[in-house]
Amino acid sequence: VMGRPALGMPGNKYEYHHDVEKAVKILANDVKMAEEKGAALIYMGHGNEHWSTGIYAETEKKFNEEYPQVKTFVGVVEGTPTLENVMEKVKQSGAKKVVLKPFMIVAGDHAVNDMAGDEDDSWKSAFAAAGYEVETVLEGLGSDNGFAGIFVDHIKDAAKQAGLTL
């Protein structure tokens, strides 16, 4: 058996909105960090080209409802919302400074190169070229014990549903 993703999954067995809410609450320290820096918080997820990545938009909405004092945006490397989508929303927000952080379990190749790299097509370079003060945080969500705990809880749910004892 396999546990569900951190932000939940479709279906009526587990309410995915609860999973999103839990993740957003666990990441409160990221919001606090951005607030202390006077910056918008931008998460870069992986995304995909095969099915809806609407969960990122829902997660972004929940961040902004829960923490209205910091504008938070979520975009993805593959699929939508794109870097261009995020940049347009950041521009509309009036932010002058941004903190970029991976919305991925590890800060691997996408975080190091696509987000924080010095190449012209990285998110850091795109925001800097648009006149923003940019700070990158190369720390994956898996290094947060609370966020990692979401996966443990989801594994426990899957085991229980399958009649397995942990």
Side-chain angles (χ1 to χ4, degrees), residues 48-160:
N48 67 79
E49 300 289 346
H50 307 290
W51 57 83
S52 173
T53 51
I55 193 67
Y56 293 113
E58 289 190 52
T59 302
E60 176 182 294
K61 181 178 183 225
K62 189 65 179 171
F63 266 106
N64 287 302
E65 289 171 354
E66 188 74 26
Y67 312 107
Q69 72 277 19
V70 172
K71 294 295 182 194
T72 302
F73 306 95
V74 182
V76 294
V77 177
E78 296 178 11
T80 189
T82 64
L83 169 60
E84 291 77 18
N85 299 143
V86 172
M87 289 187 76
E88 182 58 34
K89 288 195 275 184
V90 172
K91 179 181 176 183
Q92 291 172 2
S93 79
K96 302 293 181 214
K97 182 175 182 180
V98 297
V99 173
L100 300 174
K101 187 166 190 235
F103 201 75
M104 301 178 195
I105 302 308
V106 297
D109 182 64
H110 284 304
V112 171
N113 295 308
D114 298 323
M115 187 189 82
D118 291 327
E119 296 79 21
D120 290 342
D121 62 346
S122 77
W123 288 34
K124 179 181 99 176
S125 295
F127 276 102
Y132 294 92
E133 184 180 338
V134 182
E135 181 174 332
T136 59
V137 178
L138 287 173
E139 180 180 285
L141 298 174
S143 64
D144 181 303
N145 288 336
F147 201 90
I150 292 172
F151 291 108
V152 173
D153 290 343
H154 291 186
I155 290 166
K156 287 177 184 177
D157 290 344
K160 182 178 178 183

Side-chain angles (χ1 to χ4, degrees), residues 8-28:
M9 59 190 290
N12 59 7
K13 180 72 177 171
Y14 299 100
E15 179 61 51
Y16 80 89
H17 293 97
H18 295 225
D19 291 331
V20 169
E21 183 176 327
K22 184 175 183 178
V24 166
K25 287 185 179 190
I26 285 171
L27 296 173

